[in-house]
Amino acid sequence: MQFRTIEGNTTHAVQLTELGKYVLYEIQVLAFTRIGDGMPSFPPILERTLDDVPGPPVGILFPEVRTTSVRLVWQPPAEPNGIILAYQITYRLNTSNTNTATVDVLNPSARQYTATGLKPECSYVFRITAQTRKGWGEAAEALVVTTEKRAHPQPPSKPTIQQQNVQARSVLLSWEPGSDGLSPVRYYTTQTLELPGGNWSLHSASVSHESTTYLVDRLKPFTSYKFRVKATNDIGDSEYSEESDSVTTLQAAPDEAPEILSVTPHTTTSVMIRWQPPAEEKINGILLGYRIRYRELVYDSYRSFTLRSVSNPNAKWSELTHLNKHRRYEIRMSVYNAVGEGPTSPPQEVFVGEAVPTAPAQNVQVQSSTATQLDLTWEPPPPEAQNGDMQGYKIYYWEFQRQNETEKLKTLFLPETNVKLKNLTGYTTYLISVSAFNAAGDGPRSTPIRSRTQQAAPSTPSYIRFSELTTTSVNVSWGAPKYPNGIIEGYRLVYEPCTPVDGVSKIVTVDVKGNSPRWMKIKDLSDGVTYTYRIKAKTFTYGPEIEANITTGPGEGAPGPPGEPVIYRYGSAITIHWSSGDSGKAPISRYVIEARPSDEGLWDILIKDVPKEVTSYTFSMDILKQGVSYDFRVIAVNDYGYGTPSSPSPSISAQNAAPFYEEWWFLVVIALVGLIFILLLVFVLIIRGQSKKYTKKTESGNNMKTGTLAHEEIMSLDNGRFPALELNNRRLSVKNSFCRKNGIYNRSPPRPSPGSLHYSDEDVSTKYNDLIPAESSSLTEKPSEISDSQGSDSECEVDQNRPKTHSFVNHYISDPTYYNSWRRQQKGISRIQAYSYTESESGDPGHSHQPATNSTNNIHVPQATQQGSLFRAKRSLTPTPQHTSNNTSQPGILYRPASSLAPGSRTPLAGFSSFV
């Protein structure tokens, strides 16, 4: 579109020049004033210029070249300048002789031509020209070589740019052509890249094949660019050349003016101007400042503008002062850079002499009238703040917290102080502000006040949706009304089958409270039946309803039924097993387990998301109602929805089994175990107490260094029972059957003869039967053939300088032969604690027999009893031999059981025992 400006108001004709030939033009005329343009004339005038000879055809190519023939194609002239009547083809060898040219005329629809009978490996010149009724036009010429060795051309060299060839909107490129590949170059293509971050864009694809320079125009001023070029022959395109060095175009005068936002009287002789600078890409350089032109408007003549410059490029406002009162002024603005000044803005008018009001409307009050109307009243600003004659008021109102989207303006040009705001939204909070204006402009707004319209019927719910559709149930959800128009007290859901089911059309109405979730599970449906659902919201009354239909049962492509579930119960858990069925038209994404009470209850979803990979699921019976029997079934789900349910499982009760720790037998076992533990604890304490008491009784013998007791030391009986012998608890080594001292074996003393003791007839076996170990009680006498050095290192080696120790094990009392023959003494008879023997074993000649003294004051015991502690053997119950005196020359004496004693041996004393 082109414009032609005609100055003045008296000219009503103009001649349009520099038009295209044989081109149809649309012409309109409009008038403009200093304020702006008026409407163009209508309808537009259509007029075509005259025709002329055409321009040359374009796009000549030789797609097929042989040694004796070529085929060329072309496009009509870019400037036909009329109706094309014919094309003429002329070709000849590329020599100086032009008389041998071949000429052929084609119809105007022809776009290709094949020349034959050519000479191989020769260069030919082809000329194509078009004809209109004005004659033949300019010819287009192309060169071709009759060869079959053609190839793509090589890319041109890297484009170069001389600085003197850089302008604000154009750049002159230069390059060197590459090899044409035995096929002449037909044209060049140029591309430009705007920096930074731009993309390569096509600038021209029709640069002459004869050119090595090209003027790239239509560029942006003060912008950096790179360029590249490629060549095209009959075979195709070359690669693009190497990118040129970046170059920045020169600055140019700005293309746009700043936008004047407001011009308001500041005082009676000054005005305040506020503006917005133009876009950065329209400045075409570095912004240096603004220029403000203003003049007084006198309609009978023009006055020149007064110019004022604002040198701060970041300024957004300025004040014009010293203006004449009660005059109207015209104001324009422009920006400038180092090159020049841009166009001026549209003019803005302002009346000087009055200032805008400096106070808002007073005492603004609002009253809710209806659900769609608010009544507003106010008072004018104070007289001293009006600054002129009041011309009216502007009322701004918007929905609370939605000012940018909903703000509206109502202007009153009469000095009225009330208004009715209509067509509002019901039960919506509005903010309202009022400002006064005069000839100078608008005053400030009042502080917004808040008011809310009354309630009205709500709009329809925003949507209704269905999910989890099965053969007998569906989830229905809905959205809140877009315009609630009040407090939503509830919703009413009504559903019914579209056609009667078994001759009955059941209509169900459900009321849902407003604060309840907006969804509902509908369970009592019939399989394969289409139901209609209607939902409406309620404030103080019901609004319009939304309606939708849904058909129960699996849809097309849904999975088939899984296998009948098998139920297993483990304590308080239930495991459901099933087999996979047909997956439908999409893979199974999950399974759903439904349950119902066995007494004809309604099916409901129990487990919603069972992974698709499993065919069994375990859950706790805590999610079921205790004591109720349930049926279960499984449904497969894919992208098409819920599939057909499986057959119901056998019924199973949801009664939890009591844990074992609540059973009566477990409590009884715990009680018995506790009782046994207490008895064992008491028994251990009794044993420890007796051991400590007997230890005290034998402490008097701990300091004796000989193997016998003093004559005056006696042992008291323990409550008329067996005398207790405290034994040493020192453990001996495995070599303790016999110990050798200085090469002589020592034996323990023999058992005492029962001839000097008196026994009662009471058998001790019954009293101590429970204390007899079950191990063997036989006594072994196995001499140890050890050396002197071994004997000295043995644990049973006795140091002459320290008290001797002796240990007895519970051997004799373990043998029934002994505890059946030992008798208690009569009550009141003291029992000796220990004894010593100097006689040898019966049957050994050369040794005299000395009976032990029967006096309680003259009892001798082996020195080993001085330690007074009890040793109880854990493995062997054989008595441990010990030394009986410090006389190493005396042979040792060994204790033996009765079965191993000689006929003259003594029976052991009933009070002598290793058991305490």
Side-chain angles (χ1 to χ4, degrees):
M1 182 178 289
Q2 301 178 9
F3 294 92
R4 182 70 59 84
T5 302
I6 309 301
E7 296 289 345
N9 193 26
T10 59
T11 303
H12 299 96
V14 68
Q15 183 179 7
L16 302 178
T17 60
E18 299 179 358
L19 303 179
K21 299 175 182 179
Y22 200 71
V23 176
L24 181 65
Y25 285 92
E26 182 180 288
I27 303 172
Q28 291 178 291
V29 180
L30 61 83
F32 67 93
T33 65
R34 63 181 183 83
I35 301 300
D37 296 338
M39 294 295 295
S41 61
F42 189 83
I45 297 174
L46 299 178
E47 192 66 34
R48 186 186 297 273
T49 56
L50 299 177
D51 56 353
D52 197 357
V53 295
V58 297
I60 300 177
L61 293 175
F62 291 84
E64 294 182 8
V65 175
R66 300 287 183 266
T67 56
T68 60
S69 65
V70 296
R71 181 171 67 90
L72 74 157
V73 296
W74 66 90
Q75 297 297 326
E79 298 176 354
N81 300 334
I83 299 175
I84 302 298
L85 301 178
Y87 289 100
Q88 178 177 285
I89 306 294
T90 303
Y91 61 93
R92 60 179 176 81
L93 285 171
N94 189 16
T95 61
S96 59
N97 186 4
T98 60
N99 297 326
T100 59
T102 300
V103 179
D104 201 350
V105 177
L106 307 177
N107 62 58
S109 62
R111 294 292 183 272
Q112 64 179 0
Y113 177 77
T114 301
T116 59
L118 306 179
K119 295 181 179 181
E121 305 296 333
C122 293
S123 177
Y124 283 84
V125 177
F126 281 79
R127 293 171 57 88
I128 307 175
T129 183
Q131 182 188 34
T132 63
R133 70 184 183 90
K134 294 292 185 180
W136 294 100
E138 182 181 356
E141 188 174 285
L143 188 68
V144 65
V145 178
T146 56
T147 180
E148 295 181 351
K149 300 178 181 179
R150 299 186 304 168
H152 289 272
Q154 296 298 314
S157 64
K158 175 181 177 180
T160 60
I161 304 169
Q162 301 296 327
Q163 187 60 41
Q164 61 268 22
N165 295 328
V166 178
Q167 301 299 322
R169 301 180 186 273
S170 64
V171 169
L172 181 64
L173 300 181
S174 300
W175 65 86
E176 293 295 333
S179 173
D180 61 3
L182 297 180
S183 178
V185 174
R186 302 306 177 191
Y187 59 88
Y188 290 98
T189 300
T190 59
Q191 283 189 331
T192 62
L193 174 65
E194 183 178 339
L195 301 177
N199 298 318
W200 286 104
S201 61
L202 177 66
H203 184 272
S204 175
S206 59
V207 180
S208 172
H209 65 281
E210 298 177 348
S211 299
T212 58
T213 61
Y214 179 69
L215 184 66
V216 183
D217 56 3
R218 305 191 305 275
L219 301 179
K220 298 179 182 179
F222 202 58
T223 304
S224 296
Y225 289 94
K226 284 187 176 182
F227 306 90
R228 63 183 184 182
V229 183
K230 72 175 180 180
T232 303
N233 64 8
D234 296 335
I235 301 302
D237 299 333
S238 71
E239 298 292 335
Y240 276 101
S241 68
E242 186 181 351
E243 299 175 3
S244 69
D245 295 332
S246 62
V247 62
T248 302
T249 55
L250 303 179
Q251 296 188 64
D255 291 335
E256 286 186 359
E259 178 186 0
I260 298 178
L261 299 178
S262 64
V263 180
T264 56
H266 191 232
T267 66
T268 56
T269 58
S270 66
V271 295
M272 182 70 69
I273 306 173
R274 300 184 185 276
W275 65 83
Q276 179 71 32
E280 184 177 356
E281 60 272 14
K282 298 297 183 180
I283 296 176
N284 298 332
I286 300 175
L287 178 63
L288 298 180
Y290 300 87
R291 288 194 173 103
I292 302 175
R293 290 177 170 83
Y294 61 97
R295 65 180 177 180
E296 183 181 340
L297 288 177
V298 180
Y299 291 102
D300 56 353
S301 64
Y302 284 109
R303 293 187 179 183
S304 62
F305 283 96
T306 302
L307 180 63
R308 178 182 175 181
S309 296
V310 179
S311 301
N312 182 8
N314 298 321
K316 299 294 179 64
W317 63 272
S318 180
E319 182 179 4
L320 296 180
T321 59
H322 305 293
L323 304 179
N324 296 326
K325 283 187 177 182
H326 305 294
R327 297 289 186 271
R328 187 171 294 277
Y329 281 84
E330 175 187 351
I331 300 174
R332 296 174 181 262
M333 287 191 68
S334 63
V335 295
Y336 64 93
N337 57 21
V339 176
E341 182 181 354
T344 60
S345 65
Q348 295 283 339
E349 291 186 12
V350 62
F351 182 78
V352 179
E354 289 184 344
V356 298
T358 56
Q362 305 294 303
N363 196 22
V364 179
Q365 295 182 359
V366 62
Q367 182 178 0
S368 178
S369 176
T370 65
T372 60
Q373 178 178 314
L374 293 175
D375 295 341
L376 187 67
T377 60
W378 64 90
E379 295 178 359
E384 63 275 11
Q386 294 182 6
N387 297 329
D389 295 334
M390 299 298 300
Q391 293 186 352
Y393 298 91
K394 293 183 178 180
I395 296 90
Y396 302 87
Y397 58 100
W398 62 92
E399 294 181 13
F400 180 61
Q401 295 182 341
R402 297 182 61 201
Q403 182 173 2
N404 294 335
E405 299 88 354
T406 62
E407 184 177 74
K408 295 181 180 179
L409 171 64
K410 186 176 182 64
T411 303
L412 299 179
F413 289 97
L414 296 176
E416 297 181 0
T417 58
N418 62 82
V419 69
K420 297 181 183 297
L421 302 178
K422 300 181 179 181
N423 299 323
L424 305 180
T425 304
Y427 203 71
T428 302
T429 299
Y430 285 86
L431 294 178
I432 305 171
S433 181
V434 181
S435 67
F437 66 90
N438 56 19
D442 299 341
R445 296 185 184 185
S446 64
T447 302
I449 62 173
R450 183 182 302 184
S451 183
R452 186 169 62 188
T453 54
Q454 297 181 7
Q455 293 194 76
S459 62
T460 60
S462 55
Y463 63 85
I464 180 172
R465 294 173 184 166
F466 303 97
S467 61
E468 299 182 5
L469 177 65
T470 67
T471 57
T472 59
S473 65
V474 67
N475 270 3
V476 182
S477 59
W478 59 92
K482 183 178 180 181
Y483 302 105
N485 298 333
I487 299 175
I488 299 298
E489 296 183 358
Y491 299 88
R492 173 162 290 179
L493 169 64
V494 179
Y495 65 94
E496 61 179 324
C498 294
T499 58
V501 178
D502 297 332
V504 177
S505 182
K506 180 181 178 182
I507 301 176
V508 180
T509 301
V510 182
D511 289 329
V512 180
K513 293 183 179 180
N515 56 0
S516 300
R518 292 190 300 274
W519 67 274
M520 179 173 293
K521 179 83 169 184
I522 308 299
K523 302 179 183 179
D524 53 342
L525 304 179
S526 299
D527 186 12
V529 176
T530 301
Y531 287 83
T532 299
Y533 292 84
R534 298 185 296 273
I535 304 176
K536 56 185 177 181
K538 176 184 179 182
T539 54
F540 71 92
T541 184
Y542 283 103
E545 60 186 15
I546 184 174
E547 181 176 326
N549 293 344
I550 190 67
T551 302
T552 58
E556 183 180 358
E564 180 178 343
V566 179
I567 310 298
Y568 295 98
R569 176 173 173 175
Y570 303 96
S572 61
I574 290 179
T575 299
I576 301 180
H577 295 268
W578 66 90
S579 59
S580 300
D582 182 17
S583 62
K585 293 184 178 180
I588 294 176
S589 58
R590 60 188 173 97
Y591 288 98
V592 172
I593 298 176
E594 287 189 329
R596 71 174 180 185
S598 300
D599 53 352
E600 300 301 327
L602 298 178
W603 288 105
D604 197 4
I605 294 178
L606 181 67
I607 307 297
K608 188 174 183 179
D609 294 307
V610 179
K612 60 183 179 180
E613 298 85 4
V614 304
T615 56
S616 66
Y617 192 85
T618 302
F619 58 90
S620 174
M621 283 191 296
D622 294 340
I623 64 177
L624 303 176
K625 188 176 181 180
Q626 292 295 313
V628 177
S629 294
Y630 284 90
D631 301 335
F632 300 93
R633 66 181 184 182
V634 182
I635 302 175
V637 184
N638 63 8
D639 293 341
Y640 289 88
Y642 282 54
T644 304
S646 67
S647 301
S649 69
S651 300
I652 187 171
S653 176
Q655 184 65 40
N656 271 330
F660 71 92
Y661 51 81
E662 294 182 1
E663 297 289 345
W664 65 270
W665 56 265
F666 181 80
L667 300 178
V668 171
V669 170
I670 292 298
L672 292 177
V673 171
L675 179 60
I676 293 173
F677 177 78
I678 294 173
L679 293 177
L680 289 177
L681 181 61
V682 171
F683 180 76
V684 171
L685 294 177
I686 292 174
I687 296 300
R688 289 180 57 86
Q690 291 178 352
S691 176
K692 291 181 180 180
K693 181 168 61 176
Y694 296 148
T695 301
K696 293 180 181 179
K697 294 178 181 179
T698 57
E699 286 179 354
S700 59
N702 291 339
N703 295 326
M704 295 178 63
K705 298 182 179 180
T706 64
T708 59
L709 294 173
H711 290 283
E712 64 274 9
E713 292 184 0
I714 63 174
M715 183 194 77
S716 63
L717 296 178
D718 182 13
N719 297 327
R721 298 179 183 271
F722 281 23
L725 176 62
E726 300 293 335
L727 303 181
N728 193 323
N729 61 356
R730 179 180 179 187
R731 298 176 182 269
L732 301 182
S733 66
V734 297
K735 303 175 183 180
N736 59 3
S737 295
F738 291 90
C739 296
R740 187 169 61 180
K741 180 69 173 180
N742 297 330
I744 301 174
Y745 290 99
N746 295 327
R747 296 178 180 269
S748 299
R751 302 293 298 175
S753 174
S756 59
L757 299 177
H758 176 73
Y759 301 98
S760 65
D761 295 332
E762 185 179 354
D763 196 339
V764 299
S765 61
T766 57
K767 185 169 184 63
Y768 292 93
N769 189 38
D770 295 336
L771 305 178
I772 298 172
E775 299 178 40
S776 173
S777 59
S778 63
L779 177 64
T780 60
E781 297 184 23
K782 185 176 181 181
S784 178
E785 301 297 333
I786 57 176
S787 64
D788 294 341
S789 61
Q790 291 173 334
S792 61
D793 293 334
S794 175
E795 288 186 3
C796 55
E797 183 70 33
V798 179
D799 189 356
Q800 296 181 5
N801 296 324
R802 63 188 181 94
K804 302 298 186 292
T805 59
H806 182 71
S807 174
F808 293 91
V809 295
N810 189 10
H811 169 72
Y812 298 103
I813 198 169
S814 302
D815 193 328
T817 306
Y818 300 120
Y819 65 70
N820 287 333
S821 62
W822 297 356
R823 307 294 181 182
R824 293 187 181 181
Q825 294 183 2
Q826 296 180 359
K827 295 183 179 181
I829 300 177
S830 299
R831 299 175 182 177
I832 60 174
Q833 183 179 3
Y835 47 81
S836 64
Y837 289 92
T838 57
E839 60 183 2
S840 64
E841 285 185 274
S842 177
D844 290 341
H847 294 275
S848 60
H849 176 71
Q850 295 180 0
T853 306
N854 198 17
S855 172
T856 59
N857 296 327
N858 216 2
I859 300 299
H860 297 279
V861 297
Q863 191 175 351
T865 61
Q866 294 178 9
Q867 298 298 323
S869 60
L870 175 64
F871 172 74
R872 185 177 301 170
K874 295 184 178 181
R875 291 180 298 275
S876 176
L877 300 180
T878 306
T880 304
Q882 280 288 27
H883 300 286
T884 59
S885 67
N886 293 332
N887 188 2
T888 58
S889 62
Q890 183 180 355
I893 300 174
L894 175 65
Y895 289 115
R896 291 186 179 180
S899 59
S900 63
L901 294 178
S905 300
R906 296 172 182 256
T907 303
L909 183 64
F912 178 79
S913 173
S914 62
F915 176 77
V916 180

